[in-house]
């Protein structure tokens, strides 16, 4: 049965591949991006983000089955925090009322293996619990200090944690909406192409994102996983960050990542 999707970042990379996978399966996709999309807007701009629900309603007729937030920015600037965190979160929150009309509502966000890399705790906390201007002030300070790289890892960590805390609430799981994260390792996209083009870049990528299973992946591999997670078949996966990374997360963190619950936690 054909479903209606919204995919951000649909003009290139993983977003474009996801859109193509869904359309090949007969679904309707409303793309959002800076160009070459059904809805052209800048997710870094809060005023433009606020128009998403109305614009999607107009194009979809108020019928929406799934939202996939793919758009991201890796540059060490404040834009990274605005797009990677607020762009994804606000898109999902704004479109949640439309999802309630679906018989099988689903949502997913693309994070990154970088969510487990070193981050700036102050920025991560501000993104999750503070005002946007506070988070942007911290991000601007990091850029000025030459530590802008923390913006990407912190924003990806924050959006993964937001999903984990949000997915199991009455507004999401309680309303039948399966919400999850896909955290890719190295994917062959315009964002990674400059690094993969040189031996030095490939060595650096292999060190920070070791992928023992088949190495870097093509974007359609991520697209196929996102299509399943946001399809009707996914009836019970919620709040999870699924690492599509050729084993990188397991290689980096090892087996001891499961913090056991005490009897008091479950009694």
């Amino acid at each position: 049965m054909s479903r209606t999707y919204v995919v951000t970042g649909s003009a290139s990379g993983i977003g474009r591949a996801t859109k193509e996978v869904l359309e090949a399966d007969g679904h309707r996709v409303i793309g959002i991006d800076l160009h070459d999309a059904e809805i052209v807007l800048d997710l870094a701009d809060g005023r433009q983000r606020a128009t998403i629900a109305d614009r999607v309603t107009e194009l979809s007729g108020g019928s929406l089955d799934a939202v996939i937030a793919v758009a991201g920015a890796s540059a060490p600037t404040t834009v990274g925090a605005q797009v990677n965190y607020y762009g994804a979160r606000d898109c999902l929150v704004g479109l949640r009322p439309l999802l309630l009309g679906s018989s099988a509502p689903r949502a997913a966000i693309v994070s990154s293996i970088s969510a487990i890399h070193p981050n700036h705790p102050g920025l991560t906390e501000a993104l999750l619990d503070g005002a946007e201007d506070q988070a942007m002030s911290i991000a601007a300070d990091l850029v000025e200090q030459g530590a802008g790289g923390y913006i990407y890892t912190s924003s990806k960590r924050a959006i993964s944690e937001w999903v984990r805390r949000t997915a199991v609430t009455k507004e999401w799981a309680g309303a039948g909406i399966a919400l999850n994260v896909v955290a890719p390792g190295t994917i062959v996209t315009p964002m990674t192409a400059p690094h993969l083009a040189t031996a030095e870049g490939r060595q650096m990528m292999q060190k920070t994102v070791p992928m023992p299973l088949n190495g870097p992946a093509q974007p359609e591999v991520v697209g196929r996983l996102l299509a399943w997670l946001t399809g009707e078949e996914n009836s019970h996966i919620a709040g999870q960050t699924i690492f599509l990374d050729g084993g990188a997360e397991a290689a980096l963190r090892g087996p001891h990542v499961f913090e056991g619950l005490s009897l008091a936690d479950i009694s």
Side-chain angles (χ1 to χ4, degrees):
M1 183 172 66
S2 177
R3 289 162 59 81
T4 300
Y5 287 75
V6 164
V7 175
T8 72
S10 61
S12 65
I14 294 171
R16 178 177 179 177
T18 301
K19 188 174 191 286
E20 291 173 349
V21 166
L22 292 168
E23 289 176 337
D25 287 340
H27 302 299
R28 181 189 181 193
V29 181
I30 298 170
I32 297 177
D33 214 320
L34 291 168
H35 56 81
D36 299 320
E38 286 73 18
I39 297 176
V40 175
L41 58 76
D42 184 358
L43 288 168
D45 186 330
R47 290 171 297 181
Q48 293 188 48
R49 294 197 302 267
T51 69
I52 290 175
D54 287 342
R55 296 176 72 176
V56 170
T57 298
E58 181 180 357
L59 289 178
S60 69
S63 176
L64 184 64
D65 296 292
V67 181
I68 305 176
V70 182
S74 62
T77 68
T78 58
V79 171
Q82 291 167 316
V83 175
N84 298 338
Y85 184 77
Y86 296 110
R89 185 202 67 180
D90 292 359
C91 183
L92 265 64
V93 171
L95 294 176
R96 191 187 73 87
L98 293 181
L99 291 174
L100 296 176
S102 173
S103 60
R106 307 285 184 260
I109 289 175
V110 172
S111 179
S112 169
I113 184 66
S114 295
I116 70 168
H117 287 163
N119 68 94
H120 186 277
L123 177 55
T124 301
E125 182 179 347
L127 289 167
L128 281 165
D129 299 317
E132 184 171 350
D133 58 353
Q134 176 193 4
M136 290 305 97
S137 176
I138 295 172
D141 287 345
L142 289 173
V143 173
E144 187 175 345
Q145 296 162 14
Y150 282 125
I151 294 174
Y152 186 74
T153 59
S154 300
S155 59
K156 291 299 188 180
R157 172 71 173 263
I159 199 61
S160 295
E161 290 192 7
W162 179 83
V163 167
R164 192 163 179 83
R165 74 161 57 161
T166 302
V168 294
T169 63
K170 64 180 181 180
E171 291 80 11
W172 292 86
I177 306 172
L179 169 61
N180 293 283
V181 170
V182 171
T186 302
I187 308 299
V188 183
T189 68
M191 185 184 296
T192 61
H195 301 291
L196 295 173
T198 67
E200 182 181 6
R202 290 191 294 273
Q203 184 178 13
M204 182 271 291
M205 295 291 281
Q206 174 61 21
K207 183 177 180 180
T208 57
V209 188
M211 298 179 68
L213 179 63
N214 297 325
Q218 295 296 320
E220 57 265 26
V221 177
V222 186
R224 289 194 291 268
L225 175 57
L226 288 166
W228 186 87
L229 277 175
T230 55
E232 293 177 282
E233 298 87 349
N234 175 25
S235 59
H236 283 80
I237 298 177
Q240 299 303 304
T241 293
I242 301 174
F243 290 92
L244 195 159
D245 61 0
E249 185 268 340
L252 289 169
R253 296 210 288 181
H256 302 297
V257 295
F258 300 99
E259 182 179 350
L261 297 174
S262 68
L263 286 175
D265 292 325
I266 58 176
S267 61

